[in-house]
Amino acid sequence: MDLDLFREYGHRFVDWIAGFYENIESYPVLSQVKPGDIKNQLPTTPPGEGEGIEYIFEDFKRIILPGITHWQHPSFFAYFPANTSIPSLLAEMLTAALGAQCMVWQTSPAGTELEEVVMEWVRRMLGLPEGFSGVIQDTASTATLCALLCARERSTDFSINSGGFTGEGKGHRLAVYTSEQAHSSIEKGAKIAGFGREYVRLIPVDERMQLLPKELENAMSKDRAEGITPCCVVAACGTTSSMAIDPLRPIGEICNKEGIWLHVDAAMAGSAAILPEARHILDGVELADSFVFNPHKWLFTNFDCSAYFCRDPRQLVKTFSITPEYLKTDVDMKVKNFRDWGIPLGRRFRALKLWFVIRSMGVKGIQERLRAHIRLAEEFAGWIEEDERFELVVPVSLNLVCFRYNPKGKNLPEEKLEGLNNALLNNLNRSGKLFLTHTKLGGKYTLRLCIGQTNTERRHVEDAWNMIQTSRLVS
Ligand code: PLP
């Protein structure tokens, strides 16, 4: 394909993308296809001869697009968002065009240096402690795995890195602590890092779903008495089910007293700390060893972009660095080589999109959007409270509302409520007009409505409420 053709299709694709965003509300939010629908339309063997872009593009529209769930639809209220925005999208086009692999400084000096600068901007925006150093990882799951590996090595004097669990590091039984509401990536990370699932302690929570520090202390004492070493605590700042905020300060005090690694998983909620009025969610973060949040969730930046901060990057480098001859460069002593700050060697140029977003929206523009989302969540929660048929399962936290159908005075059994709320959820999602997901809180089947999509306005939340109210509710 020559560059003239690229120019032609490039313009056409940009036109198509602009139209797609103009008309995004006409697409079903949740893809309405059935399992196998997409695969059945695709040949099982690759084409022998090259095909024209025109034909591939037609198939993209005809076959692929119906199989897309539209995360950029303003009525996407499910899970947590994975946002984009126009500045981010434009930057991703440039990143793709450059095709740079930013594993070490010399493989694209701007890749490394922009990442350093943008991470420092982000640190200041969130009010994270001075001296915390940032690096961009692909996902919070990877960042948490990095934290667990660093914790493992620091607590064993790097003996598992050298001798493995069966050699020099033999006999280490290390425990990881997190709340019973914490994200599954913590258990997954603990399995991968070799702690073993049996050594993950799920600490009980209070009625607001926040970890109980006293229970944490008890669990650690019990482990010590059995010869197990407390190694790492992962505190949740914004749990996935209900956006519960663990009390970082008392947790941090326990960890600091005992020399235990504290990692803070703020994958979704971290962005809220950009708002001075919400910064209290990070009270005590200066006691943490590492911290992660996802600009790809609630900072209007394309997936993937996860911001990982650590108090002492030397721990990262000591845990991950391996330098074969072919990766050595003359400037290694003068620069940061981010390949040593994480798991993969190869690194995408992710800082560019974040730089575009922050510059084009400005801190104020970002704050306005975050505030608008939080206000809308509070308003929606107010509507729930006023309607006798619905209840909030836990108080609204930031931009997440957890609620369910449970008509006052009817005393419906839990099983019946689960069936009714599940039917309500399926009805709503089948309409294609909005997308919500569910969880269970204290055994209660709960609907989650998260307001965080870049373009969500009041009218979308109003429409959602109207649909929820008018959906056939039989009890
Ligand atoms: N932590 C929390 C609290 C989350 O809600 C999520 C995902 O929603 C994750 C971690 C995992 O994020 P990622 O997909 O970036 O690995």
Side-chain angles (χ1 to χ4, degrees):
M1 187 169 174
D2 63 27
L3 285 175
D4 285 336
L5 214 53
F6 168 73
R7 211 168 254 120
E8 185 193 324
Y9 280 108
H11 285 121
R12 279 179 55 189
F13 279 21
V14 169
D15 272 346
W16 183 87
I17 293 168
F20 167 71
Y21 274 95
E22 264 162 11
N23 297 315
I24 194 155
E25 291 181 44
S26 64
Y27 291 87
V29 192
L30 176 66
S31 169
Q32 306 285 306
V33 303
K34 290 187 285 307
D37 277 359
I38 306 297
K39 239 176 4 191
N40 292 340
Q41 296 179 75
L42 297 168
T44 50
T45 52
E49 304 291 329
E51 298 176 75
I53 291 288
E54 187 66 53
Y55 299 106
I56 309 172
F57 187 41
E58 282 311 309
D59 282 351
F60 161 78
K61 291 186 273 186
R62 187 175 59 84
I63 304 173
I64 306 299
L65 209 49
I68 297 297
T69 288
H70 290 288
W71 290 70
Q72 307 316 319
H73 193 300
S75 297
F76 184 99
F77 301 112
Y79 308 107
F80 282 148
N83 273 327
T84 184
S85 59
I86 300 301
S88 173
L89 206 161
L90 289 170
E92 278 286 64
M93 285 167 61
L94 297 179
T95 301
L98 296 174
Q101 206 273 54
C102 305
M103 59 186 177
V104 294
W105 181 88
Q106 95 167 359
T107 61
S108 274
T112 299
E113 295 189 13
L114 185 65
E115 186 161 333
E116 286 181 57
V117 170
V118 171
M119 285 292 94
E120 176 58 16
W121 285 6
V122 172
R123 183 193 70 73
R124 287 168 188 265
M125 285 163 68
L126 268 70
L128 291 171
E130 247 177 74
F132 269 36
S133 304
V135 59
I136 304 181
Q137 310 268 7
D138 53 5
T139 59
S141 303
T142 304
T144 293
L145 176 58
C146 286
L148 289 166
L149 290 166
C150 288
R152 186 191 79 184
E153 289 312 306
R154 191 180 73 177
S155 75
T156 59
D157 203 16
F158 293 83
S159 66
I160 295 172
N161 249 1
S162 53
F165 275 105
T166 53
E168 202 186 316
K170 191 172 172 180
H172 282 297
R173 291 194 298 155
L174 307 171
V176 174
Y177 306 80
T178 196
S179 100
E180 54 189 28
Q181 289 290 315
H183 191 261
S184 55
S185 56
I186 295 145
E187 192 169 328
K188 191 177 191 178
K191 284 201 298 182
I192 299 169
F195 289 89
R197 199 181 211 158
E198 278 177 30
Y199 291 89
V200 178
R201 313 284 179 244
L202 298 181
I203 307 299
V205 294
D206 63 15
E207 69 292 345
R208 288 174 302 165
M209 307 292 148
Q210 299 171 342
L211 180 144
L212 288 160
K214 193 73 212 147
E215 297 282 351
L216 175 65
E217 271 185 315
N218 292 345
M220 286 177 174
S221 304
K222 188 164 173 281
D223 276 336
R224 269 202 209 85
E226 290 172 16
I228 297 166
T229 310
C231 174
C232 185
V233 174
V234 183
C237 178
T239 56
T240 314
S241 278
S242 67
M243 199 72 91
I245 312 283
D246 287 344
L248 295 187
R249 187 164 295 287
I251 296 173
E253 281 163 2
I254 296 167
C255 290
N256 281 203
K257 194 169 72 193
E258 310 283 348
I260 297 163
W261 190 285
L262 173 60
H263 174 61
V264 178
D265 174 7
M268 173 70 189
S271 297
I274 298 171
L275 299 173
E277 66 271 27
R279 193 157 290 167
H280 57 87
I281 62 172
L282 295 188
D283 179 50
V285 73
E286 70 278 9
L287 302 172
D289 292 283
S290 53
F291 171 90
V292 65
F293 90 103
N294 282 347
H296 70 231
K297 282 190 166 34
W298 201 17
L299 207 55
F300 318 114
T301 305
N302 275 67
F303 185 85
D304 50 354
C305 185
S306 190
Y308 180 69
F309 289 88
C310 54
R311 193 177 356 181
D312 180 6
R314 285 171 309 178
Q315 305 289 341
L316 268 178
V317 176
K318 255 178 107 178
T319 302
F320 293 116
S321 182
I322 295 177
T323 308
E325 193 55 37
Y326 48 81
L327 288 177
K328 287 181 186 160
T329 73
D330 291 343
V331 290
D332 285 346
M333 300 310 286
K334 295 191 199 143
V335 298
K336 279 185 183 161
N337 285 323
F338 279 130
R339 71 177 171 87
D340 294 332
W341 290 50
I343 294 164
L345 169 65
R347 309 185 74 247
R348 270 164 39 72
F349 188 7
R350 297 191 186 91
L352 194 70
K353 55 190 170 185
L354 196 49
W355 188 54
F356 266 60
V357 169
I358 298 171
R359 285 190 63 183
S360 108
M361 293 187 184
V363 175
K364 284 191 186 141
I366 291 171
Q367 287 173 330
E368 276 165 23
R369 283 176 172 79
L370 297 174
R371 270 193 195 110
H373 289 158
I374 293 172
R375 260 199 315 268
L376 286 172
E378 284 163 0
E379 202 173 358
F380 180 85
W383 300 334
I384 296 281
E385 281 179 312
E386 280 166 19
D387 190 318
E388 299 241 306
R389 294 168 302 164
F390 292 89
E391 66 175 2
L392 291 178
V393 180
V394 288
V396 60
S397 175
L398 299 174
N399 62 343
L400 179 65
V401 188
C402 294
F403 68 102
R404 66 175 184 168
Y405 173 69
N406 185 12
K408 264 204 187 74
K410 288 218 168 164
N411 290 326
L412 297 175
E414 211 44 59
E415 210 174 298
K416 174 94 176 157
L417 284 172
E418 175 159 345
L420 287 167
N421 279 284
N422 176 262
L424 170 61
L425 182 73
N426 290 336
N427 267 343
L428 292 166
N429 291 342
R430 254 197 310 269
S431 77
K433 301 258 184 255
L434 80 175
F435 182 26
L436 308 183
T437 47
H438 82 282
T439 188
K440 273 197 180 169
L441 289 170
K444 297 176 182 171
Y445 187 95
T446 301
L447 306 182
R448 296 167 72 266
L449 183 124
C450 182
I451 302 171
Q453 208 289 320
T454 314
N455 301 309
T456 301
E457 297 170 19
R458 190 171 188 278
R459 68 186 169 92
H460 302 109
V461 182
E462 263 177 346
D463 287 349
W465 177 229
N466 284 337
M467 278 186 274
I468 291 166
Q469 282 182 307
T470 53
S471 202
R472 216 166 70 85
L473 294 161
V474 196
S475 52

